Amino acid sequence: MNVLTTVRNTLVISLAVLGMGGAAVAVHAQESKPKAASVERHHGERAAHVAKRQAHMAERQARLHEQLKLSAEQEPAWAAWSAASKPGERPARGARGQWAGKSAPERMEQQLDMAKQHVAHMETRLAALNTLYATLTPEQKKVFDEQGMRRGHHGKHKRPA
């Protein structure tokens, strides 16, 4: 193999590597631009999903309210349960790198705080549920037990007895 062939091969390989590197930089530059749009689209999709879930929950509660045929005396307990059953505000997530800047014990402490908030919300819901349930007739309790606490079943499946 002569020197000219070696130089030519080295030059071709070097240009190919530079070309691939340049292409990779260009692709990376294009991918980083839409990230902001992708994040905005994700937030929009999330908001639409939350709104759809809330509308579905309101429809289910309206159907349950109709099926229970509540008396005027039972309406305040229903209103309290209905208000307590609404999902609570989610805590702000903070900056993207927020968790990376915390130690493992700090992250676990924050997770524990969020879990405590969730439990407190559930306890509020349980208190309102107990108040409502105490006002229901046996027939209404049966309807509520069959329909009121069913999540994710959409009325298609009966729970085992």
Side-chain angles (χ1 to χ4, degrees):
M1 200 177 214
N2 66 23
V3 174
L4 186 57
T5 304
T6 305
V7 170
R8 184 177 51 133
N9 287 345
T10 304
L11 183 61
V12 169
I13 292 171
S14 299
L15 289 174
V17 169
L18 285 173
M20 287 189 288
V25 169
V27 167
H28 178 70
Q30 285 181 342
E31 287 177 353
S32 64
K33 286 181 184 177
K35 277 189 181 177
S38 175
V39 168
E40 288 176 17
R41 185 174 53 247
H42 173 72
H43 288 300
E45 290 169 358
R46 172 89 176 123
H49 176 72
V50 168
K52 185 177 177 181
R53 276 188 63 213
Q54 288 174 341
H56 178 71
M57 188 172 133
E59 289 172 13
R60 284 185 64 238
Q61 281 191 348
R63 276 195 312 269
L64 179 61
H65 185 269
E66 188 177 307
Q67 290 172 345
L68 287 174
K69 299 177 179 108
L70 298 171
S71 68
E73 296 82 30
Q74 294 170 321
E75 285 295 334
W78 170 267
W81 174 77
S82 182
S85 294
K86 290 182 180 169
E89 288 293 319
R90 286 191 161 182
R93 291 195 171 219
R96 186 164 178 84
Q98 174 187 18
W99 288 88
K102 292 187 176 193
S103 67
E106 290 171 332
R107 289 191 303 260
M108 180 159 264
E109 192 172 306
Q110 187 169 356
Q111 289 172 335
L112 184 59
D113 288 342
M114 289 187 296
K116 287 177 182 176
Q117 290 172 6
H118 181 73
V119 168
H121 180 71
M122 289 175 64
E123 287 172 342
T124 300
R125 286 181 60 200
L126 177 59
L129 175 60
N130 284 334
T131 301
L132 171 63
Y133 206 78
T135 68
L136 299 178
T137 65
E139 295 82 22
Q140 289 172 322
K141 287 178 182 179
K142 184 177 179 185
V143 169
F144 193 91
D145 288 342
E146 290 174 357
Q147 302 295 323
M149 297 302 287
R150 187 174 290 162
R151 290 184 178 260
H153 296 285
H154 305 289
K156 295 178 186 172
H157 306 288
K158 292 243 178 201
R159 288 189 177 153

